[in-house]
Amino acid sequence: MNTATVYPAEAPRSLKARILGSPSAGPLLVLFGFCVIFALTNPRFLATHNLSIILQQTVVIGALAIGQTLVILTAGIDLAVGAICVLGTIVAGKLANLGYDPVLSMGIAVLICTAAGFAAGGLVSGLRLPPFIVTLGILGILTAALRLISEGGAFPVRDPFLAWTGNTMKLGGFVLTYGVLIMFILYASVWYLLNQTKWGRHVYAIGNNVEAARLVGIPVRRHLLSVYVLAGLIYGIAAWLALGRIPNADPNAMQSANLDSITAVVIGGTSLFGGRGGLVGTLIGALIVGVLRNGLTLAGIDPLWQDLITGILVIIAVALDQLSRRRR
Amino acid sequence: MPAGSRIEEPSARVVLEARNVVKTYGHVTALDGVDFELRAGEILAVVGDNGAGKSTLIKTLTGAVRPTSGEILLDGVPVHFKGPLDARHAGIETVYQDLAVAPALDIAANLFLGRELRAPGLLGSLFRRLDKKGMREEARRAMGELKFRLPAIDNPVESLSGGQRQGVAVARAALFARRLVIMDEPTAALGVRETGQVLQLIRSIRDRGLPVVLISHNMPNVFDLADRIHIMRLGRRAAVVTPKTHSMNDVVAIMTGAATA
C-alpha cells in the first residue's frame, strides 16, 4: 500500500457548497417561497409592523418547537407540548391572581412544567414506554385536569410581570417584544448545547443508534430523562412567553400546538426517526408556520383552512424525510 | 512437550489470563473450568462449535457476565469486573459484530463517541465546549497510523461502506484500548473485500503492540491472522495450537472432539 495516499488531505468546503449542502437549504427556500407569494398577493405582508407581528406570533410555537426538536432527535415525539405549556400559564395565573409574588408564581409554574417533563422522561426512560403513548396520556390527563382546576373557563392574568414578555422595545425601525428576544436566546443556548457539547452529541448518538450509544458507555436512560426535563423547562418558559402574547390563562388554548410544533420541527428538516436535524432548521420551520398563518390571515382565510394547510405541509415534509431515508 | 498448549514463546508476558473459570446458569454449565491466556503482542483466535462456551468466555472477560467461580487476571493482577464499563476502565475494549456506529455523525465524532475531548481553558471547563478540531486532528493521526483508508474525517459514517464503518468501530477500540482489544465476530456482517480491509486493520493494531482476542467462525480468516488458536469444546479449553503446526482440518477435528491436540 502506498502510504502517501493513505490519508487524503481535505480541501475546506466553499461557502457556496456549504450553503447548498446544508440541510437547512430546503426549508430556507420554502420560507422564501411563501414570503414571495404572500408579498406579491398582499402589499401589507412585507410592512415592518407585519414582520414584527409574525415574529411575535411565532414566539410560543418557536419556543415549544425547541423542546419538540430535542425529543424528536432522540427518536421520540412529544404530544404534550401544548398541554404542559397551558399548565404553566394556568398555574402562574392562578397563583398570581391569588396574590402570590408574581416572580415566585412564574418560577413555580416553570418548575411544575419541568416536573411534567421529568414525569414523561421517567416513564419513557425508566419503564421504556413509547414516547408517543406517554405524552398522549399526559395530554389527556392535563387537558381534563386543567379544565377541572379552572372550572372550565379562561381567566385574565393582569400581573405586569407575567405579561412582561409582551412588552416592546425598538431595534432600529423594528418593534420587538422581550418575548421574541427570549425565544432567540433560547434558540442560541440550546443550539450551543446540541452542537458544541458532549450532551448534545450524545442526544444525536442516542437518536441515531441507541445500541451503539449504550455500547460506547453513554448512560442512555439518564440522558433521555435529561432531554425530557430540559424540554419541560423550555415549555415552562414558553408559558411565560404565551402570557406575554395573550394575558389570559385558558385551559382550551393551544389546541394546535402539537400540529404546529411538530410541523415546525419536521419542515425544518429534523427526521422523525431521530438523530438527524437540528435547531437552525426548526427556527426556519417555526417561521414557515408563522408566515403561513399570518399570510393566510391577511388574505382573510378561515383559521380552519390554516390547520388544513399545515396538516398537508407536515405530511409532505415527513414523506420527503422517508424518501431520503430510503435512499440512504 | 505435547504439540498442544504452550508451544512457542512461553516467555512472552501474559496480559489477560483466566484460571479455572466456571459459569453455570441453573443446571446448565456454560463454562466448565476454562483456562485462557492472552500474551503480549499476539492475535489469539478463539474458536469453537456453537454452545462450546466461546461467547460466555468472552463475556466473562469483558465483564458482561460474572463467573460463578475462578479467577481472571489482568497483567497478573486479579480483577473482578462488575460490568462492561469496568473492563473498559481497565483498558479492555470490545468490538461487536453489528456495526456499533452512529451513522449520521461524522467519522471523528464516532471515533470519540462517549469519550469526547473538551476544549482547553474556560471554554471547556466552564462552557463545556467540545474540542472538535482537536478530535478531528487526533482522529486523522490515528487513522493514518493504522494505515486505514477513509474519506475525509468530517464525512458522516453513513457515507462509508460496511467495511469502512466497521473499520471505524475497530479503530475506536484500538484508539482507546490500553491493554487489549476483544473482537467478537467483527467481520460476520461484511463481504469478502470488506472483510479484507478489516483484517488488515486488525493486523496493524497487533503490529502497534496491542494484543487482540479474535472470536471468529471463519477458519480461513483465523488461519490468516492468528498467532495462536484457542479451541473451546464443551465449556473448556480443548487445546491451544498455532496455524504453523496444525491444519484447519486438525482444528475442526479438535473442536468436534474427533481428535485431541
PDB file of all heavy atoms in Angstrom, chain A residues 91-110:
ATOM      1  N   VAL A  91     -51.100  27.677  36.113  1.00  0.00           N
ATOM      2  CA  VAL A  91     -50.509  27.689  37.457  1.00  0.00           C
ATOM      3  C   VAL A  91     -50.027  29.101  37.798  1.00  0.00           C
ATOM      4  O   VAL A  91     -50.338  29.652  38.861  1.00  0.00           O
ATOM      5  CB  VAL A  91     -49.346  26.678  37.546  1.00  0.00           C
ATOM      6  CG1 VAL A  91     -48.568  26.876  38.836  1.00  0.00           C
ATOM      7  CG2 VAL A  91     -49.880  25.255  37.462  1.00  0.00           C
ATOM      8  N   ALA A  92     -49.284  29.709  36.854  1.00  0.00           N
ATOM      9  CA  ALA A  92     -48.747  31.052  37.115  1.00  0.00           C
ATOM     10  C   ALA A  92     -49.892  32.047  37.317  1.00  0.00           C
ATOM     11  O   ALA A  92     -49.882  32.842  38.262  1.00  0.00           O
ATOM     12  CB  ALA A  92     -47.857  31.490  35.952  1.00  0.00           C
ATOM     13  N   GLY A  93     -50.891  31.991  36.437  1.00  0.00           N
ATOM     14  CA  GLY A  93     -52.011  32.919  36.517  1.00  0.00           C
ATOM     15  C   GLY A  93     -52.799  32.765  37.808  1.00  0.00           C
ATOM     16  O   GLY A  93     -53.102  33.747  38.493  1.00  0.00           O
ATOM     17  N   LYS A  94     -53.106  31.520  38.164  1.00  0.00           N
ATOM     18  CA  LYS A  94     -53.874  31.247  39.382  1.00  0.00           C
ATOM     19  C   LYS A  94     -53.142  31.785  40.609  1.00  0.00           C
ATOM     20  O   LYS A  94     -53.716  32.505  41.434  1.00  0.00           O
ATOM     21  CB  LYS A  94     -54.085  29.739  39.547  1.00  0.00           C
ATOM     22  CG  LYS A  94     -55.395  29.212  38.988  1.00  0.00           C
ATOM     23  CD  LYS A  94     -56.369  28.988  40.119  1.00  0.00           C
ATOM     24  CE  LYS A  94     -57.710  28.473  39.714  1.00  0.00           C
ATOM     25  NZ  LYS A  94     -58.689  28.975  38.982  1.00  0.00           N
ATOM     26  N   LEU A  95     -51.846  31.425  40.717  1.00  0.00           N
ATOM     27  CA  LEU A  95     -51.072  31.828  41.893  1.00  0.00           C
ATOM     28  C   LEU A  95     -50.995  33.344  41.977  1.00  0.00           C
ATOM     29  O   LEU A  95     -51.208  33.936  43.046  1.00  0.00           O
ATOM     30  CB  LEU A  95     -49.664  31.224  41.849  1.00  0.00           C
ATOM     31  CG  LEU A  95     -49.587  29.707  42.086  1.00  0.00           C
ATOM     32  CD1 LEU A  95     -48.158  29.209  41.924  1.00  0.00           C
ATOM     33  CD2 LEU A  95     -50.112  29.351  43.477  1.00  0.00           C
ATOM     34  N   ALA A  96     -50.704  33.987  40.853  1.00  0.00           N
ATOM     35  CA  ALA A  96     -50.569  35.449  40.859  1.00  0.00           C
ATOM     36  C   ALA A  96     -51.906  36.097  41.214  1.00  0.00           C
ATOM     37  O   ALA A  96     -51.959  37.047  42.003  1.00  0.00           O
ATOM     38  CB  ALA A  96     -50.071  35.941  39.506  1.00  0.00           C
ATOM     39  N   ASN A  97     -52.988  35.562  40.657  1.00  0.00           N
ATOM     40  CA  ASN A  97     -54.304  36.126  40.963  1.00  0.00           C
ATOM     41  C   ASN A  97     -54.698  35.908  42.417  1.00  0.00           C
ATOM     42  O   ASN A  97     -55.481  36.662  42.978  1.00  0.00           O
ATOM     43  CB  ASN A  97     -55.363  35.529  40.037  1.00  0.00           C
ATOM     44  CG  ASN A  97     -55.248  36.094  38.617  1.00  0.00           C
ATOM     45  OD1 ASN A  97     -54.379  36.939  38.363  1.00  0.00           O
ATOM     46  ND2 ASN A  97     -56.088  35.629  37.715  1.00  0.00           N
ATOM     47  N   LEU A  98     -54.139  34.856  43.033  1.00  0.00           N
ATOM     48  CA  LEU A  98     -54.404  34.617  44.456  1.00  0.00           C
ATOM     49  C   LEU A  98     -53.585  35.553  45.330  1.00  0.00           C
ATOM     50  O   LEU A  98     -53.699  35.539  46.545  1.00  0.00           O
ATOM     51  CB  LEU A  98     -54.077  33.165  44.829  1.00  0.00           C
ATOM     52  CG  LEU A  98     -55.093  32.113  44.388  1.00  0.00           C
ATOM     53  CD1 LEU A  98     -54.567  30.705  44.645  1.00  0.00           C
ATOM     54  CD2 LEU A  98     -56.425  32.323  45.107  1.00  0.00           C
ATOM     55  N   GLY A  99     -52.682  36.316  44.696  1.00  0.00           N
ATOM     56  CA  GLY A  99     -51.935  37.310  45.451  1.00  0.00           C
ATOM     57  C   GLY A  99     -50.500  36.917  45.763  1.00  0.00           C
ATOM     58  O   GLY A  99     -49.799  37.626  46.485  1.00  0.00           O
ATOM     59  N   TYR A 100     -50.040  35.791  45.233  1.00  0.00           N
ATOM     60  CA  TYR A 100     -48.640  35.423  45.467  1.00  0.00           C
ATOM     61  C   TYR A 100     -47.733  36.302  44.637  1.00  0.00           C
ATOM     62  O   TYR A 100     -48.149  36.860  43.621  1.00  0.00           O
ATOM     63  CB  TYR A 100     -48.408  33.945  45.128  1.00  0.00           C
ATOM     64  CG  TYR A 100     -49.014  33.005  46.125  1.00  0.00           C
ATOM     65  CD1 TYR A 100     -50.279  32.450  45.906  1.00  0.00           C
ATOM     66  CD2 TYR A 100     -48.331  32.663  47.300  1.00  0.00           C
ATOM     67  CE1 TYR A 100     -50.848  31.598  46.832  1.00  0.00           C
ATOM     68  CE2 TYR A 100     -48.894  31.809  48.230  1.00  0.00           C
ATOM     69  CZ  TYR A 100     -50.159  31.287  47.992  1.00  0.00           C
ATOM     70  OH  TYR A 100     -50.719  30.443  48.903  1.00  0.00           O
ATOM     71  N   ASP A 101     -46.494  36.391  45.078  1.00  0.00           N
ATOM     72  CA  ASP A 101     -45.493  37.158  44.342  1.00  0.00           C
ATOM     73  C   ASP A 101     -45.422  36.651  42.902  1.00  0.00           C
ATOM     74  O   ASP A 101     -45.316  35.438  42.675  1.00  0.00           O
ATOM     75  CB  ASP A 101     -44.139  37.005  45.043  1.00  0.00           C
ATOM     76  CG  ASP A 101     -43.049  37.737  44.297  1.00  0.00           C
ATOM     77  OD1 ASP A 101     -43.066  38.974  44.352  1.00  0.00           O
ATOM     78  OD2 ASP A 101     -42.222  37.079  43.643  1.00  0.00           O
ATOM     79  N   PRO A 102     -45.508  37.542  41.916  1.00  0.00           N
ATOM     80  CA  PRO A 102     -45.569  37.083  40.520  1.00  0.00           C
ATOM     81  C   PRO A 102     -44.313  36.325  40.076  1.00  0.00           C
ATOM     82  O   PRO A 102     -44.419  35.367  39.310  1.00  0.00           O
ATOM     83  CB  PRO A 102     -45.735  38.376  39.717  1.00  0.00           C
ATOM     84  CG  PRO A 102     -45.315  39.467  40.645  1.00  0.00           C
ATOM     85  CD  PRO A 102     -45.634  39.002  42.024  1.00  0.00           C
ATOM     86  N   VAL A 103     -43.124  36.770  40.557  1.00  0.00           N
ATOM     87  CA  VAL A 103     -41.902  36.077  40.153  1.00  0.00           C
ATOM     88  C   VAL A 103     -41.925  34.648  40.694  1.00  0.00           C
ATOM     89  O   VAL A 103     -41.611  33.679  39.993  1.00  0.00           O
ATOM     90  CB  VAL A 103     -40.653  36.836  40.657  1.00  0.00           C
ATOM     91  CG1 VAL A 103     -39.385  36.102  40.254  1.00  0.00           C
ATOM     92  CG2 VAL A 103     -40.645  38.255  40.117  1.00  0.00           C
ATOM     93  N   LEU A 104     -42.363  34.545  41.966  1.00  0.00           N
ATOM     94  CA  LEU A 104     -42.474  33.228  42.585  1.00  0.00           C
ATOM     95  C   LEU A 104     -43.505  32.378  41.832  1.00  0.00           C
ATOM     96  O   LEU A 104     -43.275  31.199  41.537  1.00  0.00           O
ATOM     97  CB  LEU A 104     -42.885  33.386  44.052  1.00  0.00           C
ATOM     98  CG  LEU A 104     -42.975  32.090  44.852  1.00  0.00           C
ATOM     99  CD1 LEU A 104     -41.578  31.560  45.152  1.00  0.00           C
ATOM    100  CD2 LEU A 104     -43.757  32.303  46.149  1.00  0.00           C
ATOM    101  N   SER A 105     -44.631  32.988  41.470  1.00  0.00           N
ATOM    102  CA  SER A 105     -45.688  32.253  40.758  1.00  0.00           C
ATOM    103  C   SER A 105     -45.163  31.693  39.441  1.00  0.00           C
ATOM    104  O   SER A 105     -45.377  30.525  39.121  1.00  0.00           O
ATOM    105  CB  SER A 105     -46.870  33.188  40.453  1.00  0.00           C
ATOM    106  OG  SER A 105     -47.329  33.791  41.621  1.00  0.00           O
ATOM    107  N   MET A 106     -44.455  32.553  38.700  1.00  0.00           N
ATOM    108  CA  MET A 106     -43.923  32.095  37.410  1.00  0.00           C
ATOM    109  C   MET A 106     -42.872  31.017  37.632  1.00  0.00           C
ATOM    110  O   MET A 106     -42.829  30.015  36.915  1.00  0.00           O
ATOM    111  CB  MET A 106     -43.316  33.303  36.661  1.00  0.00           C
ATOM    112  CG  MET A 106     -43.138  33.065  35.172  1.00  0.00           C
ATOM    113  SD  MET A 106     -44.686  32.750  34.298  1.00  0.00           S
ATOM    114  CE  MET A 106     -44.348  31.186  33.544  1.00  0.00           C
ATOM    115  N   GLY A 107     -42.032  31.230  38.664  1.00  0.00           N
ATOM    116  CA  GLY A 107     -40.990  30.234  38.970  1.00  0.00           C
ATOM    117  C   GLY A 107     -41.609  28.876  39.273  1.00  0.00           C
ATOM    118  O   GLY A 107     -41.149  27.842  38.755  1.00  0.00           O
ATOM    119  N   ILE A 108     -42.661  28.883  40.094  1.00  0.00           N
ATOM    120  CA  ILE A 108     -43.317  27.615  40.434  1.00  0.00           C
ATOM    121  C   ILE A 108     -43.920  26.982  39.181  1.00  0.00           C
ATOM    122  O   ILE A 108     -43.823  25.774  38.961  1.00  0.00           O
ATOM    123  CB  ILE A 108     -44.399  27.845  41.515  1.00  0.00           C
ATOM    124  CG1 ILE A 108     -43.708  28.184  42.844  1.00  0.00           C
ATOM    125  CG2 ILE A 108     -45.280  26.618  41.678  1.00  0.00           C
ATOM    126  CD1 ILE A 108     -44.660  28.579  43.937  1.00  0.00           C
ATOM    127  N   ALA A 109     -44.517  27.825  38.331  1.00  0.00           N
ATOM    128  CA  ALA A 109     -45.115  27.301  37.093  1.00  0.00           C
ATOM    129  C   ALA A 109     -44.052  26.626  36.218  1.00  0.00           C
ATOM    130  O   ALA A 109     -44.261  25.524  35.708  1.00  0.00           O
ATOM    131  CB  ALA A 109     -45.799  28.428  36.330  1.00  0.00           C
ATOM    132  N   VAL A 110     -42.898  27.297  36.083  1.00  0.00           N
ATOM    133  CA  VAL A 110     -41.833  26.723  35.262  1.00  0.00           C
ATOM    134  C   VAL A 110     -41.353  25.408  35.867  1.00  0.00           C
ATOM    135  O   VAL A 110     -41.119  24.412  35.172  1.00  0.00           O
ATOM    136  CB  VAL A 110     -40.655  27.727  35.113  1.00  0.00           C
ATOM    137  CG1 VAL A 110     -39.456  27.056  34.469  1.00  0.00           C
ATOM    138  CG2 VAL A 110     -41.084  28.935  34.307  1.00  0.00           C
TER     139      VAL A 110
END
